[in-house]
Amino acid sequence: MAGSSTDPTQQLNDYIRTMHDQGILDDNFDQLLALRREQNPRFITELISMFTNDAEAYIAEITNALSLTEVDFSTIISKLHQLKGSTSGIGGHRMYQACCELRVAADDGDKDRCDELFLRVKEEFNTLKQCFDSISEMRRNIISNGTRRRRRRPL
Amino acid sequence: MAPTLPSGDQASDQDNWDNGRLARKRQLLTEIVLRNRLTALVVDGDTTCRVLEQLLLRSYEVQTQGVDNGRDAVALIASGVKFNLIIIDMILPVLNGLEATRQIRDMGVHCKMLGVTACSGESERQAFLAAGVDVFIEKPLDPEHLVPILRELDGQ
């Protein structure tokens, strides 16, 4: 990674690059950024919020399905399908991979393996949330700097 | 029914997300100009996916409508609304994507149907194609897959 920069935009670029390097984000997140330019600057923030809220709901439903005396694998597979889809769309690479592994365990009806892999899904979700929180914070800094200086040329 | 999409604001001149991958993605987003006004129906039970797919289509000026379950998709088509393109997920609430696709085809609808789903197995692919989708795409829907299809629909 390049030496530290005090330029907020460069810091953000460097951070996203690092998230790519660590496998937390992938090219699908880049596609969102490209779409952002076609839409509005709040689009990313709104989409991340939408994803996070829905993901938390899916995780809650999977938690409940796993906790039943007779595990509801059908619900797990259904909610996991939606979680996988939205995670791939938002570019959450490691979380997506964790979902794929959990899907295999759910298809096999292996509760112990599901418990273990679901823990990883939740861990990766927390990591992804922290990543998005950092990105949002850096974006706010960029916007506040730009409000003061009005110097940015749009790409 | 699907919630509304995020509202629009003026583009900020603060943003600078420059990297090579981003430039290539943007190039794909501006690669085509459609001569005709195309319409698309997006059927996906997940809000994020549905919003993303609609936004991607709208970036090419495709007029889109979204529903979040298979039953509403079938009802909309049965009401006489016509689309150039239907994008449908396999696992859907109320009425699943396979059955919804069959029912839409049974109505005599011949428009292009894309099965865009998080399922990646060959058996799922074959099942979706057998149900009536023309193309099977693993999520997420991206310009690399979408642009050639839009060109075909636009007669380019």
Side-chain angles (χ1 to χ4, degrees):
Chain A
M1 192 169 117
S4 63
S5 165
T6 57
D7 175 53
T9 299
Q10 189 57 48
Q11 285 178 342
L12 176 57
N13 291 340
D14 288 345
Y15 181 78
I16 291 174
R17 213 167 288 129
T18 301
M19 293 299 102
H20 274 281
D21 292 343
Q22 293 180 10
I24 295 170
L25 297 177
D26 61 23
D27 284 355
N28 295 321
F29 185 73
D30 294 346
Q31 182 170 302
L32 296 188
L33 302 184
L35 265 180
R36 174 198 58 82
R37 288 291 302 167
E38 308 298 320
Q39 303 295 329
N40 70 83
R42 299 171 63 81
F43 158 63
I44 293 288
T45 306
E46 291 170 353
L47 196 70
I48 287 172
S49 177
M50 191 184 298
F51 163 76
T52 303
N53 290 339
D54 284 351
E56 286 172 344
Y58 296 143
I59 286 171
E61 290 184 79
I62 293 171
T63 300
N64 183 59
L66 267 174
S67 70
L68 299 175
T69 307
E70 198 156 323
V71 175
D72 183 357
F73 288 107
S74 173
T75 294
I76 293 171
I77 289 168
S78 169
K79 297 307 165 187
L80 195 54
H81 174 87
Q82 293 180 307
L83 184 60
K84 266 181 67 178
S86 59
T87 302
S88 70
I90 206 83
H93 184 69
R94 277 184 5 199
M95 183 178 167
Y96 175 77
Q97 287 183 318
C99 288
C100 289
E101 291 177 29
L102 176 56
R103 173 64 194 263
V104 172
D107 283 341
D108 292 342
D110 186 339
K111 182 191 187 310
D112 289 340
R113 188 96 176 112
C114 281
D115 284 335
E116 177 190 335
L117 292 170
F118 186 45
L119 194 61
R120 186 169 157 235
V121 168
K122 289 187 284 187
E123 287 170 353
E124 293 297 348
F125 175 57
N126 286 332
T127 300
L128 190 59
K129 268 202 302 184
Q130 288 168 16
C131 165
F132 287 150
D133 286 345
S134 298
I135 289 173
S136 297
E137 180 63 32
M138 288 182 210
R139 282 182 52 81
R140 280 193 288 273
N141 290 339
I142 289 169
I143 289 169
S144 61
N145 279 348
T147 300
R148 285 194 294 274
R149 290 187 290 178
R150 299 257 181 235
R151 64 173 174 79
R152 292 286 178 203
R153 176 181 64 81
L155 287 180
Chain B
M1 288 292 289
T4 56
L5 297 177
S7 60
D9 276 331
Q10 286 185 351
S12 167
D13 62 353
Q14 315 302 317
D15 293 347
N16 186 353
W17 302 71
D18 188 22
N19 61 62
R21 286 178 294 216
L22 184 56
R24 180 173 64 84
K25 295 287 184 185
R26 285 192 186 146
Q27 184 183 11
L28 279 167
L29 280 175
T30 57
E31 193 172 281
I32 65 167
V33 176
L34 298 178
R35 291 191 289 250
N36 303 291
R37 174 57 69 93
L38 299 179
T39 58
L41 172 65
V42 175
V43 190
D44 200 306
D46 178 73
T47 309
T48 303
C49 291
R50 194 173 59 249
V51 165
L52 277 173
E53 287 164 5
Q54 286 186 265
L55 284 168
L56 180 60
L57 287 161
R58 288 181 184 183
S59 71
Y60 296 109
E61 298 188 5
V62 176
Q63 193 173 342
T64 73
Q65 197 164 339
V67 294
D68 60 10
N69 68 80
R71 181 191 61 192
D72 286 354
V74 171
L76 184 61
I77 299 296
S79 73
V81 181
K82 297 196 186 313
F83 298 96
N84 300 109
L85 177 66
I86 297 174
I87 292 172
I88 185 164
D89 193 359
M90 179 176 279
I91 297 180
L92 293 169
V94 187
L95 182 69
N96 71 64
L98 293 177
E99 185 55 32
T101 299
R102 287 190 203 102
Q103 290 187 22
I104 289 169
R105 288 305 196 201
D106 285 346
M107 281 190 262
V109 172
H110 300 297
C111 73
K112 196 82 164 181
M113 289 188 74
L114 309 186
V116 181
T117 179
C119 299
S120 56
E122 183 59 24
S123 61
E124 283 97 348
R125 178 176 173 276
Q126 292 299 333
F128 221 168
L129 290 170
V133 300
D134 297 294
V135 183
F136 178 95
I137 297 171
E138 192 176 339
K139 280 183 178 176
L141 180 64
D142 59 12
E144 284 89 350
H145 285 97
L146 185 60
V147 166
I149 291 168
L150 292 179
R151 281 204 172 110
E152 176 194 334
L153 292 174
D154 195 42
Q156 294 185 14

